[in-house]
PDB file of all heavy atoms in Angstrom:
ATOM      1  N   ALA A   1      13.816 -12.811 -10.939  1.00  0.00           N
ATOM      2  CA  ALA A   1      14.198 -14.202 -11.050  1.00  0.00           C
ATOM      3  C   ALA A   1      15.211 -14.486  -9.798  1.00  0.00           C
ATOM      4  O   ALA A   1      16.093 -13.751  -9.654  1.00  0.00           O
ATOM      5  CB  ALA A   1      14.922 -14.503 -12.296  1.00  0.00           C
ATOM      6  N   ALA A   2      14.817 -15.490  -9.082  1.00  0.00           N
ATOM      7  CA  ALA A   2      15.663 -15.918  -7.921  1.00  0.00           C
ATOM      8  C   ALA A   2      16.500 -17.170  -8.269  1.00  0.00           C
ATOM      9  O   ALA A   2      16.107 -18.034  -9.046  1.00  0.00           O
ATOM     10  CB  ALA A   2      14.728 -16.251  -6.771  1.00  0.00           C
ATOM     11  N   SER A   3      17.780 -17.124  -7.814  1.00  0.00           N
ATOM     12  CA  SER A   3      18.597 -18.244  -7.965  1.00  0.00           C
ATOM     13  C   SER A   3      19.448 -18.478  -6.803  1.00  0.00           C
ATOM     14  O   SER A   3      19.488 -17.661  -5.787  1.00  0.00           O
ATOM     15  CB  SER A   3      19.469 -18.087  -9.301  1.00  0.00           C
ATOM     16  OG  SER A   3      20.316 -16.865  -9.051  1.00  0.00           O
ATOM     17  N   GLY A   4      20.230 -19.542  -6.826  1.00  0.00           N
ATOM     18  CA  GLY A   4      21.054 -19.849  -5.679  1.00  0.00           C
ATOM     19  C   GLY A   4      20.299 -20.812  -4.777  1.00  0.00           C
ATOM     20  O   GLY A   4      19.633 -21.584  -5.121  1.00  0.00           O
ATOM     21  N   THR A   5      20.572 -20.607  -3.347  1.00  0.00           N
ATOM     22  CA  THR A   5      19.966 -21.432  -2.398  1.00  0.00           C
ATOM     23  C   THR A   5      18.530 -20.856  -2.059  1.00  0.00           C
ATOM     24  O   THR A   5      18.391 -20.230  -1.107  1.00  0.00           O
ATOM     25  CB  THR A   5      20.830 -21.475  -1.190  1.00  0.00           C
ATOM     26  OG1 THR A   5      22.143 -21.701  -1.543  1.00  0.00           O
ATOM     27  CG2 THR A   5      20.437 -22.583  -0.176  1.00  0.00           C
ATOM     28  N   ILE A   6      17.602 -21.219  -2.961  1.00  0.00           N
ATOM     29  CA  ILE A   6      16.242 -20.703  -2.869  1.00  0.00           C
ATOM     30  C   ILE A   6      15.419 -21.476  -1.935  1.00  0.00           C
ATOM     31  O   ILE A   6      14.327 -21.012  -1.459  1.00  0.00           O
ATOM     32  CB  ILE A   6      15.564 -20.491  -4.214  1.00  0.00           C
ATOM     33  CG1 ILE A   6      15.445 -21.842  -4.825  1.00  0.00           C
ATOM     34  CG2 ILE A   6      16.324 -19.559  -5.079  1.00  0.00           C
ATOM     35  CD1 ILE A   6      14.599 -21.811  -6.156  1.00  0.00           C
ATOM     36  N   PHE A   7      15.813 -22.621  -1.496  1.00  0.00           N
ATOM     37  CA  PHE A   7      15.071 -23.418  -0.608  1.00  0.00           C
ATOM     38  C   PHE A   7      14.850 -22.639   0.746  1.00  0.00           C
ATOM     39  O   PHE A   7      15.856 -22.189   1.278  1.00  0.00           O
ATOM     40  CB  PHE A   7      15.781 -24.799  -0.288  1.00  0.00           C
ATOM     41  CG  PHE A   7      14.939 -25.536   0.817  1.00  0.00           C
ATOM     42  CD1 PHE A   7      13.791 -26.391   0.435  1.00  0.00           C
ATOM     43  CD2 PHE A   7      15.396 -25.608   2.039  1.00  0.00           C
ATOM     44  CE1 PHE A   7      13.124 -27.065   1.306  1.00  0.00           C
ATOM     45  CE2 PHE A   7      14.743 -26.397   3.018  1.00  0.00           C
ATOM     46  CZ  PHE A   7      13.651 -27.054   2.761  1.00  0.00           C
ATOM     47  N   GLY A   8      13.689 -22.515   1.205  1.00  0.00           N
ATOM     48  CA  GLY A   8      13.415 -21.913   2.515  1.00  0.00           C
ATOM     49  C   GLY A   8      12.991 -20.543   2.270  1.00  0.00           C
ATOM     50  O   GLY A   8      12.581 -19.881   3.392  1.00  0.00           O
ATOM     51  N   ILE A   9      12.916 -19.874   1.141  1.00  0.00           N
ATOM     52  CA  ILE A   9      12.431 -18.599   0.978  1.00  0.00           C
ATOM     53  C   ILE A   9      10.960 -18.613   1.301  1.00  0.00           C
ATOM     54  O   ILE A   9      10.154 -19.424   0.713  1.00  0.00           O
ATOM     55  CB  ILE A   9      12.566 -17.999  -0.463  1.00  0.00           C
ATOM     56  CG1 ILE A   9      14.046 -17.779  -0.754  1.00  0.00           C
ATOM     57  CG2 ILE A   9      11.849 -16.795  -0.672  1.00  0.00           C
ATOM     58  CD1 ILE A   9      14.306 -17.421  -2.201  1.00  0.00           C
ATOM     59  N   ASN A  10      10.477 -17.870   2.259  1.00  0.00           N
ATOM     60  CA  ASN A  10       9.059 -17.961   2.644  1.00  0.00           C
ATOM     61  C   ASN A  10       8.339 -16.680   2.251  1.00  0.00           C
ATOM     62  O   ASN A  10       7.022 -16.735   2.179  1.00  0.00           O
ATOM     63  CB  ASN A  10       8.911 -18.182   4.074  1.00  0.00           C
ATOM     64  CG  ASN A  10       9.610 -17.131   4.952  1.00  0.00           C
ATOM     65  OD1 ASN A  10      10.436 -16.384   4.470  1.00  0.00           O
ATOM     66  ND2 ASN A  10       9.308 -17.136   6.267  1.00  0.00           N
ATOM     67  N   VAL A  11       8.935 -15.556   2.026  1.00  0.00           N
ATOM     68  CA  VAL A  11       8.250 -14.389   1.604  1.00  0.00           C
ATOM     69  C   VAL A  11       9.051 -13.704   0.411  1.00  0.00           C
ATOM     70  O   VAL A  11      10.366 -13.512   0.585  1.00  0.00           O
ATOM     71  CB  VAL A  11       8.121 -13.259   2.734  1.00  0.00           C
ATOM     72  CG1 VAL A  11       7.269 -12.085   2.237  1.00  0.00           C
ATOM     73  CG2 VAL A  11       7.445 -13.916   3.913  1.00  0.00           C
ATOM     74  N   MET A  12       8.312 -13.327  -0.594  1.00  0.00           N
ATOM     75  CA  MET A  12       8.984 -12.526  -1.578  1.00  0.00           C
ATOM     76  C   MET A  12       8.275 -11.277  -1.842  1.00  0.00           C
ATOM     77  O   MET A  12       6.981 -11.218  -1.575  1.00  0.00           O
ATOM     78  CB  MET A  12       9.092 -13.246  -3.012  1.00  0.00           C
ATOM     79  CG  MET A  12      10.075 -14.425  -2.815  1.00  0.00           C
ATOM     80  SD  MET A  12      10.611 -15.097  -4.468  1.00  0.00           S
ATOM     81  CE  MET A  12      11.663 -13.743  -5.049  1.00  0.00           C
ATOM     82  N   GLY A  13       8.870 -10.236  -2.194  1.00  0.00           N
ATOM     83  CA  GLY A  13       8.161  -8.981  -2.278  1.00  0.00           C
ATOM     84  C   GLY A  13       8.831  -7.853  -3.127  1.00  0.00           C
ATOM     85  O   GLY A  13      10.000  -8.199  -3.626  1.00  0.00           O
ATOM     86  N   TRP A  14       8.142  -6.761  -3.310  1.00  0.00           N
ATOM     87  CA  TRP A  14       8.657  -5.689  -4.059  1.00  0.00           C
ATOM     88  C   TRP A  14       8.662  -4.422  -3.126  1.00  0.00           C
ATOM     89  O   TRP A  14       7.717  -4.196  -2.431  1.00  0.00           O
ATOM     90  CB  TRP A  14       7.807  -5.333  -5.218  1.00  0.00           C
ATOM     91  CG  TRP A  14       7.916  -6.449  -6.323  1.00  0.00           C
ATOM     92  CD1 TRP A  14       7.225  -7.479  -6.526  1.00  0.00           C
ATOM     93  CD2 TRP A  14       9.015  -6.420  -7.334  1.00  0.00           C
ATOM     94  NE1 TRP A  14       7.695  -8.242  -7.664  1.00  0.00           N
ATOM     95  CE2 TRP A  14       8.713  -7.646  -8.159  1.00  0.00           C
ATOM     96  CE3 TRP A  14      10.059  -5.611  -7.663  1.00  0.00           C
ATOM     97  CZ2 TRP A  14       9.537  -7.926  -9.276  1.00  0.00           C
ATOM     98  CZ3 TRP A  14      10.816  -5.936  -8.793  1.00  0.00           C
ATOM     99  CH2 TRP A  14      10.564  -7.055  -9.524  1.00  0.00           C
ATOM    100  N   TYR A  15       9.695  -3.638  -3.167  1.00  0.00           N
ATOM    101  CA  TYR A  15       9.791  -2.354  -2.443  1.00  0.00           C
ATOM    102  C   TYR A  15      10.164  -1.389  -3.477  1.00  0.00           C
ATOM    103  O   TYR A  15      10.679  -1.701  -4.560  1.00  0.00           O
ATOM    104  CB  TYR A  15      10.849  -2.538  -1.376  1.00  0.00           C
ATOM    105  CG  TYR A  15      10.514  -3.380  -0.223  1.00  0.00           C
ATOM    106  CD1 TYR A  15      10.385  -4.802  -0.270  1.00  0.00           C
ATOM    107  CD2 TYR A  15      10.167  -2.797   1.043  1.00  0.00           C
ATOM    108  CE1 TYR A  15      10.107  -5.593   0.648  1.00  0.00           C
ATOM    109  CE2 TYR A  15       9.828  -3.593   2.061  1.00  0.00           C
ATOM    110  CZ  TYR A  15       9.755  -5.053   1.918  1.00  0.00           C
ATOM    111  OH  TYR A  15       9.428  -5.844   3.007  1.00  0.00           O
ATOM    112  N   ARG A  16      10.063  -0.120  -3.071  1.00  0.00           N
ATOM    113  CA  ARG A  16      10.373   0.954  -3.993  1.00  0.00           C
ATOM    114  C   ARG A  16      11.001   2.132  -3.228  1.00  0.00           C
ATOM    115  O   ARG A  16      10.719   2.300  -1.998  1.00  0.00           O
ATOM    116  CB  ARG A  16       9.234   1.389  -4.910  1.00  0.00           C
ATOM    117  CG  ARG A  16       8.149   2.154  -4.142  1.00  0.00           C
ATOM    118  CD  ARG A  16       7.000   2.385  -5.027  1.00  0.00           C
ATOM    119  NE  ARG A  16       5.916   3.087  -4.387  1.00  0.00           N
ATOM    120  CZ  ARG A  16       4.693   3.295  -4.909  1.00  0.00           C
ATOM    121  NH1 ARG A  16       4.599   2.885  -6.152  1.00  0.00           N
ATOM    122  NH2 ARG A  16       3.770   4.045  -4.288  1.00  0.00           N
ATOM    123  N   GLN A  17      11.863   2.844  -3.927  1.00  0.00           N
ATOM    124  CA  GLN A  17      12.609   4.050  -3.327  1.00  0.00           C
ATOM    125  C   GLN A  17      12.576   5.146  -4.345  1.00  0.00           C
ATOM    126  O   GLN A  17      13.250   4.985  -5.375  1.00  0.00           O
ATOM    127  CB  GLN A  17      13.890   3.637  -2.781  1.00  0.00           C
ATOM    128  CG  GLN A  17      14.547   4.813  -2.001  1.00  0.00           C
ATOM    129  CD  GLN A  17      15.728   4.346  -1.269  1.00  0.00           C
ATOM    130  OE1 GLN A  17      16.357   3.344  -1.619  1.00  0.00           O
ATOM    131  NE2 GLN A  17      16.215   5.090  -0.264  1.00  0.00           N
ATOM    132  N   ALA A  18      11.833   6.207  -3.948  1.00  0.00           N
ATOM    133  CA  ALA A  18      11.861   7.359  -4.781  1.00  0.00           C
ATOM    134  C   ALA A  18      12.967   8.315  -4.355  1.00  0.00           C
ATOM    135  O   ALA A  18      13.472   8.243  -3.176  1.00  0.00           O
ATOM    136  CB  ALA A  18      10.503   8.075  -4.696  1.00  0.00           C
ATOM    137  N   PRO A  19      13.444   9.181  -5.160  1.00  0.00           N
ATOM    138  CA  PRO A  19      14.524  10.127  -4.778  1.00  0.00           C
ATOM    139  C   PRO A  19      14.126  10.889  -3.557  1.00  0.00           C
ATOM    140  O   PRO A  19      13.070  11.541  -3.453  1.00  0.00           O
ATOM    141  CB  PRO A  19      14.621  11.066  -6.011  1.00  0.00           C
ATOM    142  CG  PRO A  19      14.155  10.247  -7.245  1.00  0.00           C
ATOM    143  CD  PRO A  19      13.006   9.397  -6.615  1.00  0.00           C
ATOM    144  N   GLY A  20      15.057  11.041  -2.594  1.00  0.00           N
ATOM    145  CA  GLY A  20      14.893  11.744  -1.337  1.00  0.00           C
ATOM    146  C   GLY A  20      13.939  11.089  -0.389  1.00  0.00           C
ATOM    147  O   GLY A  20      13.577  11.601   0.656  1.00  0.00           O
ATOM    148  N   LYS A  21      13.469   9.797  -0.636  1.00  0.00           N
ATOM    149  CA  LYS A  21      12.484   9.146   0.212  1.00  0.00           C
ATOM    150  C   LYS A  21      13.079   7.848   0.637  1.00  0.00           C
ATOM    151  O   LYS A  21      13.905   7.355   0.067  1.00  0.00           O
ATOM    152  CB  LYS A  21      11.231   8.925  -0.444  1.00  0.00           C
ATOM    153  CG  LYS A  21      10.493  10.286  -0.801  1.00  0.00           C
ATOM    154  CD  LYS A  21       9.038   9.957  -1.375  1.00  0.00           C
ATOM    155  CE  LYS A  21       8.256  11.293  -1.603  1.00  0.00           C
ATOM    156  NZ  LYS A  21       6.891  10.957  -2.099  1.00  0.00           N
ATOM    157  N   GLN A  22      12.534   7.274   1.754  1.00  0.00           N
ATOM    158  CA  GLN A  22      12.918   6.069   2.271  1.00  0.00           C
ATOM    159  C   GLN A  22      12.318   4.994   1.394  1.00  0.00           C
ATOM    160  O   GLN A  22      11.248   5.048   0.696  1.00  0.00           O
ATOM    161  CB  GLN A  22      12.419   5.892   3.704  1.00  0.00           C
ATOM    162  CG  GLN A  22      13.140   6.676   4.669  1.00  0.00           C
ATOM    163  CD  GLN A  22      12.780   6.404   6.185  1.00  0.00           C
ATOM    164  OE1 GLN A  22      11.690   6.043   6.475  1.00  0.00           O
ATOM    165  NE2 GLN A  22      13.802   6.607   7.058  1.00  0.00           N
ATOM    166  N   ARG A  23      13.028   3.797   1.445  1.00  0.00           N
ATOM    167  CA  ARG A  23      12.360   2.670   0.777  1.00  0.00           C
ATOM    168  C   ARG A  23      11.162   2.227   1.422  1.00  0.00           C
ATOM    169  O   ARG A  23      11.046   2.136   2.653  1.00  0.00           O
ATOM    170  CB  ARG A  23      13.506   1.465   0.751  1.00  0.00           C
ATOM    171  CG  ARG A  23      13.161   0.217  -0.123  1.00  0.00           C
ATOM    172  CD  ARG A  23      14.264  -0.677  -0.167  1.00  0.00           C
ATOM    173  NE  ARG A  23      15.486  -0.124  -0.755  1.00  0.00           N
ATOM    174  CZ  ARG A  23      16.611  -0.737  -1.146  1.00  0.00           C
ATOM    175  NH1 ARG A  23      16.569  -2.119  -0.897  1.00  0.00           N
ATOM    176  NH2 ARG A  23      17.589  -0.106  -1.618  1.00  0.00           N
ATOM    177  N   GLU A  24      10.109   1.859   0.595  1.00  0.00           N
ATOM    178  CA  GLU A  24       8.856   1.429   1.174  1.00  0.00           C
ATOM    179  C   GLU A  24       8.272   0.112   0.543  1.00  0.00           C
ATOM    180  O   GLU A  24       8.666  -0.148  -0.560  1.00  0.00           O
ATOM    181  CB  GLU A  24       7.842   2.577   0.893  1.00  0.00           C
ATOM    182  CG  GLU A  24       7.409   2.898  -0.550  1.00  0.00           C
ATOM    183  CD  GLU A  24       6.391   3.889  -0.660  1.00  0.00           C
ATOM    184  OE1 GLU A  24       5.965   4.503   0.264  1.00  0.00           O
ATOM    185  OE2 GLU A  24       6.067   4.197  -1.935  1.00  0.00           O
ATOM    186  N   LEU A  25       7.518  -0.440   1.247  1.00  0.00           N
ATOM    187  CA  LEU A  25       6.897  -1.793   0.825  1.00  0.00           C
ATOM    188  C   LEU A  25       5.914  -1.391  -0.244  1.00  0.00           C
ATOM    189  O   LEU A  25       5.148  -0.423  -0.187  1.00  0.00           O
ATOM    190  CB  LEU A  25       6.190  -2.366   2.026  1.00  0.00           C
ATOM    191  CG  LEU A  25       5.328  -3.622   1.687  1.00  0.00           C
ATOM    192  CD1 LEU A  25       6.193  -4.789   1.275  1.00  0.00           C
ATOM    193  CD2 LEU A  25       4.438  -3.945   2.842  1.00  0.00           C
ATOM    194  N   VAL A  26       5.927  -2.219  -1.281  1.00  0.00           N
ATOM    195  CA  VAL A  26       4.850  -2.213  -2.318  1.00  0.00           C
ATOM    196  C   VAL A  26       3.908  -3.351  -2.181  1.00  0.00           C
ATOM    197  O   VAL A  26       2.732  -3.208  -2.054  1.00  0.00           O
ATOM    198  CB  VAL A  26       5.439  -2.265  -3.671  1.00  0.00           C
ATOM    199  CG1 VAL A  26       4.393  -2.164  -4.781  1.00  0.00           C
ATOM    200  CG2 VAL A  26       6.448  -0.933  -3.882  1.00  0.00           C
ATOM    201  N   ALA A  27       4.481  -4.593  -2.205  1.00  0.00           N
ATOM    202  CA  ALA A  27       3.655  -5.788  -2.137  1.00  0.00           C
ATOM    203  C   ALA A  27       4.500  -6.944  -1.679  1.00  0.00           C
ATOM    204  O   ALA A  27       5.685  -7.006  -2.060  1.00  0.00           O
ATOM    205  CB  ALA A  27       2.947  -6.071  -3.493  1.00  0.00           C
ATOM    206  N   THR A  28       3.810  -7.869  -0.982  1.00  0.00           N
ATOM    207  CA  THR A  28       4.534  -9.148  -0.664  1.00  0.00           C
ATOM    208  C   THR A  28       3.589 -10.341  -0.981  1.00  0.00           C
ATOM    209  O   THR A  28       2.375 -10.148  -1.129  1.00  0.00           O
ATOM    210  CB  THR A  28       4.917  -9.213   0.833  1.00  0.00           C
ATOM    211  OG1 THR A  28       3.717  -9.106   1.626  1.00  0.00           O
ATOM    212  CG2 THR A  28       5.886  -8.123   1.168  1.00  0.00           C
ATOM    213  N   ILE A  29       4.273 -11.495  -1.143  1.00  0.00           N
ATOM    214  CA  ILE A  29       3.576 -12.789  -1.392  1.00  0.00           C
ATOM    215  C   ILE A  29       4.114 -13.775  -0.605  1.00  0.00           C
ATOM    216  O   ILE A  29       5.400 -14.017  -0.612  1.00  0.00           O
ATOM    217  CB  ILE A  29       3.373 -13.040  -2.879  1.00  0.00           C
ATOM    218  CG1 ILE A  29       2.549 -14.265  -2.940  1.00  0.00           C
ATOM    219  CG2 ILE A  29       4.746 -13.341  -3.473  1.00  0.00           C
ATOM    220  CD1 ILE A  29       2.080 -14.479  -4.474  1.00  0.00           C
ATOM    221  N   SER A  30       3.323 -14.546   0.173  1.00  0.00           N
ATOM    222  CA  SER A  30       3.806 -15.643   1.042  1.00  0.00           C
ATOM    223  C   SER A  30       2.839 -16.749   1.014  1.00  0.00           C
ATOM    224  O   SER A  30       1.700 -16.575   1.526  1.00  0.00           O
ATOM    225  CB  SER A  30       4.057 -15.198   2.454  1.00  0.00           C
ATOM    226  OG  SER A  30       4.432 -16.326   3.342  1.00  0.00           O
ATOM    227  N   GLY A  31       3.113 -17.876   0.428  1.00  0.00           N
ATOM    228  CA  GLY A  31       2.239 -18.995   0.461  1.00  0.00           C
ATOM    229  C   GLY A  31       0.905 -18.777  -0.199  1.00  0.00           C
ATOM    230  O   GLY A  31      -0.161 -19.246   0.212  1.00  0.00           O
ATOM    231  N   GLY A  32       0.874 -17.812  -1.230  1.00  0.00           N
ATOM    232  CA  GLY A  32      -0.228 -17.522  -1.821  1.00  0.00           C
ATOM    233  C   GLY A  32      -1.088 -16.248  -1.207  1.00  0.00           C
ATOM    234  O   GLY A  32      -2.009 -15.732  -1.820  1.00  0.00           O
ATOM    235  N   ILE A  33      -0.626 -15.851  -0.087  1.00  0.00           N
ATOM    236  CA  ILE A  33      -1.256 -14.727   0.587  1.00  0.00           C
ATOM    237  C   ILE A  33      -0.471 -13.446   0.181  1.00  0.00           C
ATOM    238  O   ILE A  33       0.672 -13.427   0.238  1.00  0.00           O
ATOM    239  CB  ILE A  33      -1.261 -14.897   2.076  1.00  0.00           C
ATOM    240  CG1 ILE A  33      -1.964 -16.114   2.480  1.00  0.00           C
ATOM    241  CG2 ILE A  33      -1.726 -13.592   2.762  1.00  0.00           C
ATOM    242  CD1 ILE A  33      -1.872 -16.458   4.035  1.00  0.00           C
ATOM    243  N   THR A  34      -1.219 -12.544  -0.259  1.00  0.00           N
ATOM    244  CA  THR A  34      -0.719 -11.184  -0.743  1.00  0.00           C
ATOM    245  C   THR A  34      -1.044 -10.032   0.183  1.00  0.00           C
ATOM    246  O   THR A  34      -2.012 -10.102   0.879  1.00  0.00           O
ATOM    247  CB  THR A  34      -1.207 -10.910  -2.063  1.00  0.00           C
ATOM    248  OG1 THR A  34      -2.668 -10.837  -2.107  1.00  0.00           O
ATOM    249  CG2 THR A  34      -0.718 -11.946  -3.223  1.00  0.00           C
TER     250      THR A  34
END
């Protein structure tokens, strides 16, 4: 859930980080494009 000054957000996404590993992209969505 996003709150605050949300106007202008153009991409939202999910990332993940496993122990001992770098954070990595899982998925993004922008204007309906995933």
Side-chain angles (χ1 to χ4, degrees):
S3 62
T5 311
I6 60 174
F7 176 79
I9 293 175
N10 57 347
V11 183
M12 293 194 74
W14 290 93
Y15 291 71
R16 67 187 181 186
Q17 187 166 18
K21 295 187 177 181
Q22 290 189 330
R23 191 170 298 189
E24 62 176 4
L25 170 73
V26 176
T28 61
I29 185 167
S30 175
I33 298 173
T34 58

